[in-house]
Amino acid sequence: MNTEMTMDYEPDQKDSIQHWNRCLEAVATTKDKATYMLFYDHFAPRLNSWLLGVTKDAELAEELVQETMLTVWRKSGQYDSSKAAASTWLFRIARNMHVDHLRRLKVRARADSMMLDVEPDEPEVHGGMHYDTARIRDAIKQLPVQQAQVIYKSYFEGKSHQEIANDMDLPLGSVKSSVRLAFQKLSKVLRP
Amino acid sequence: MSVNHHPDDATLLSYASGSLLESFEILVACHLRFCQQCRLRVDQAEQLGGAMLESAEMLESTVMLESAVTSENKSIPFAGRAAFAELLDDDEPLVDMLVDSAQKRDDTAGLVRTHRIPEPLQRLLESNDATLAWKRLVPGIQQIRLDTEDDGLRLMKIAPGMSIPLHTHKGSELTFILYGSYSDELGRLQPGDVSDLDAEVEHQPITDGKEPCICLVATDAPLKFHGFLPKLLQPFIGF
Ligand SMILES: [Zn+2]
């Protein structure tokens, strides 16, 4: 059964989003550790360079990578590829772990009345996973440098608009409009 | 509740990327609770986050920033690989099924985004609670400073017909309406609405209706009031 599941996706298509969605689904059904290590080998280095950027702390970044990858493994049964791409799911979990850490909250302390969740479980209608990585890459390449930079600083350095404004010596209003324009261009590519 | 005013796309993207100050993050989360449209937008920004995770090297070369993390070759196995493989070997999925219901809470740990909602705000989200300990700033304006990491969040209760002194801000200002309403140059704001002001915007909100307006305000820089009387307010309101 394991072999059948692992044969299901083509190993030379590591760039395709469906490849990793199917891989994670295979992990969910088979709980096969070797299959999960393939997923790990693809995403752990990427996750690490992202977390290194937002935490500026190599030890902490590595710790969060491991914690995230272990959570993904344990919760893989809840992954649904019709709702989100594996990379989106992974990004959310890593972001939650990182933000929780920033706020010095242990997720295990959820009983604490200070940390009620205000968001409903999930949006009723999902954007789904209608993008392919190649098209997003093209769209990123076509961004004016300043827009690519503010996007990079938002995602990969975890900086607020004000911090970006200070860094780049730009008025706050220009930072916000650059982020807005870049978001609007990139999100067009998400449409099916 | 019909929502007509939303946070800026730039604010929603930063919420999704986890790069807002906690005060702003909590305020946006309050709005998302009522706004499907913005939840979808955040969902899209999260999809972009996932795509960027996959395209990190390429993005780094596009931005040409010195600060960009010079990425190691992504095909080299991650340094923690061996340690992780060991963790995985020790991980017994059956244990998950044996946990008692008290630990069931952990089911969503990491999967659901949580926020530290200060208690007075939590009470207001549930109902218009008259017993909160408001502090009077000037006649007609009361506030409660909320405990957050950046200290930029407070509740304000403004009497009907009250005009808040004309002010500009150096930084960002987000306002979320909980009860009542107010109008400014940008329109009328009602419960669920968010006003997301760019820096350098000068505005003078006026509460309308017969109820006091209760709102949540997040700022990252002191407000600047114009005129002599408002300056007297500065020590009370400023950060
Ligand atoms: Zn909205």
Side-chain angles (χ1 to χ4, degrees), chain B residues 3 5-7 12 31 35 37-39:
Chain B
V3 179
H5 297 266
H6 308 272
L12 294 174
H31 174 73
C35 187
Q37 183 187 323
C38 288
R39 287 205 294 277

Side-chain angles (χ1 to χ4, degrees), chain B residues 111-153:
Chain B
L111 300 187
V112 173
R113 187 162 184 183
T114 52
H115 301 280
R116 209 161 46 151
I117 306 299
E119 207 242 331
L121 173 58
Q122 186 61 48
R123 279 161 62 187
L124 280 171
L125 284 168
E126 280 156 16
S127 70
N128 193 345
D129 190 329
T131 65
L132 290 176
W134 292 97
K135 280 200 174 136
R136 199 179 82 150
L137 285 177
V138 289
I141 304 182
Q142 296 169 283
Q143 78 165 0
I144 299 174
R145 307 264 300 246
L146 300 176
D147 180 31
T148 60
E149 206 176 43
D150 55 291
D151 272 333
L153 192 64

Side-chain angles (χ1 to χ4, degrees), chain A residues 172 176, chain B residues 24 27 154 167-169 171-175 182 194-199 203 205 217-220 223:
Chain A
L172 181 61
K176 278 182 93 170
Chain B
F24 289 77
L27 192 145
R154 62 203 145 131
H167 64 277
T168 47
H169 13 83
S172 311
E173 180 186 282
L174 278 187
T175 306
Y182 80 70
V194 164
S195 139
D196 188 343
L197 291 179
D198 264 304
H203 76 138
V217 184
T219 47
D220 61 358
L223 304 181

Side-chain angles (χ1 to χ4, degrees), chain B residues 3-220:
Chain B
V3 179
N4 293 309
H5 297 266
H6 308 272
D8 192 289
D9 263 352
T11 304
L12 294 174
L13 181 137
S14 295
Y15 174 82
S17 67
S19 49
L20 289 180
L21 294 175
E22 191 182 25
S23 293
F24 289 77
E25 191 180 292
I26 291 173
L27 192 145
V28 170
C30 287
H31 174 73
L32 290 177
R33 196 182 184 190
F34 302 104
C35 187
Q36 165 77 355
Q37 183 187 323
C38 288
R39 287 205 294 277
L40 281 172
R41 207 68 186 129
V42 168
D43 186 77
Q44 292 182 330
E46 289 170 342
Q47 291 184 52
L48 287 176
M52 297 218 197
L53 209 54
E54 292 212 63
S55 315
E57 304 113 289
M58 195 225 80
L59 185 61
E60 278 156 19
S61 62
T62 307
V63 297
M64 299 181 297
L65 283 171
E66 276 177 36
S67 59
V69 186
T70 35
S71 50
E72 339 77 269
N73 186 340
K74 301 291 188 293
S75 57
I76 294 172
F78 178 56
R81 189 185 200 275
F84 187 81
E86 240 173 80
L87 271 178
L88 206 55
D89 268 339
D90 294 341
D91 199 54
E92 191 39 76
L94 274 179
V95 175
D96 273 355
M97 297 175 194
L98 299 175
V99 292
D100 58 47
S101 55
Q103 281 174 291
K104 274 272 159 58
R105 248 196 278 275
D106 269 0
D107 255 19
T108 54
L111 300 187
V112 173
R113 187 162 184 183
T114 52
H115 301 280
R116 209 161 46 151
I117 306 299
E119 207 242 331
L121 173 58
Q122 186 61 48
R123 279 161 62 187
L124 280 171
L125 284 168
E126 280 156 16
S127 70
N128 193 345
D129 190 329
T131 65
L132 290 176
W134 292 97
K135 280 200 174 136
R136 199 179 82 150
L137 285 177
V138 289
I141 304 182
Q142 296 169 283
Q143 78 165 0
I144 299 174
R145 307 264 300 246
L146 300 176
D147 180 31
T148 60
E149 206 176 43
D150 55 291
D151 272 333
L153 192 64
R154 62 203 145 131
L155 288 161
M156 296 196 87
K157 186 177 186 176
I158 303 146
M162 181 84 190
S163 154
I164 296 152
L166 192 63
H167 64 277
T168 47
H169 13 83
K170 244 184 101 208
S172 311
E173 180 186 282
L174 278 187
T175 306
F176 172 76
I177 311 294
L178 283 146
Y179 296 96
S181 60
Y182 80 70
S183 299
D184 68 8
E185 289 75 357
L186 303 169
R188 182 154 192 257
L189 279 98
Q190 293 174 287
D193 282 339
V194 164
S195 139
D196 188 343
L197 291 179
D198 264 304
E200 294 110 30
V201 172
E202 210 178 54
H203 76 138
Q204 185 163 31
I206 297 169
T207 54
D208 51 21
K210 288 182 176 139
E211 305 287 305
C213 177
I214 298 179
C215 52
L216 182 66
V217 184
T219 47
D220 61 358

